[in-house]
């Protein structure tokens, strides 16, 4: 949940009032949870999440994981791009 996503959420809130507030709350809690787990992984193993996945999962899963990650990055950037003209 970076500032661009917050801007998108605020615009959605202005249009739909409080009916989508649970999405912002859930996304914030999930982001905090994932950041804590990633930090613990780094402290305990000295590896980041990508290195841990490379070592843990079979080699054939590297390409699907990479593609899914790129799609997720694009979806995050898309939300910021769609909110940009309205600011």
């Amino acid at each position: 949940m970076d500032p661009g996503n917050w801007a998108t959420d605020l615009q959605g809130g202005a249009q739909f009032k409080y009916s989508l507030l649970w999405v912002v709350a859930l996304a914030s809690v999930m982001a905090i949870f994932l950041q804590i787990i990633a930090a613990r992984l780094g402290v305990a193993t000295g590896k980041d999440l990508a290195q841990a996945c490379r070592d843990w999962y079979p080699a054939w899963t590297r390409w699907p994981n990479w593609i899914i990650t790129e799609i997720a990055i694009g979806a995050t950037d898309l939300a910021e791009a769609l909110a940009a003209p309205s600011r």
Side-chain angles (χ1 to χ4, degrees):
M1 295 294 289
D2 55 20
N5 287 358
W6 274 102
T8 304
D9 295 337
L10 291 174
Q11 181 165 352
Q15 184 175 357
F16 297 104
K17 305 296 181 217
Y18 291 105
S19 62
L20 297 177
L21 188 59
W22 68 272
V23 176
V24 176
L26 182 63
S28 297
V29 169
M30 288 173 44
I32 292 168
F33 180 69
L34 290 173
Q35 287 289 331
I36 290 170
I37 290 176
R40 288 181 181 177
L41 174 71
V43 169
T45 65
K47 298 178 182 178
D48 59 35
L49 187 58
Q51 292 170 337
C53 288
R54 180 194 62 210
D55 295 343
W56 180 260
Y57 291 115
W60 67 268
T61 62
R62 290 181 188 158
W63 283 99
N65 284 339
W66 175 64
I67 292 169
I68 291 170
T69 302
E70 290 293 338
I71 291 170
I73 291 168
T76 301
D77 289 342
L78 180 64
E80 292 181 24
L82 292 177
S86 62
R87 289 187 224 171

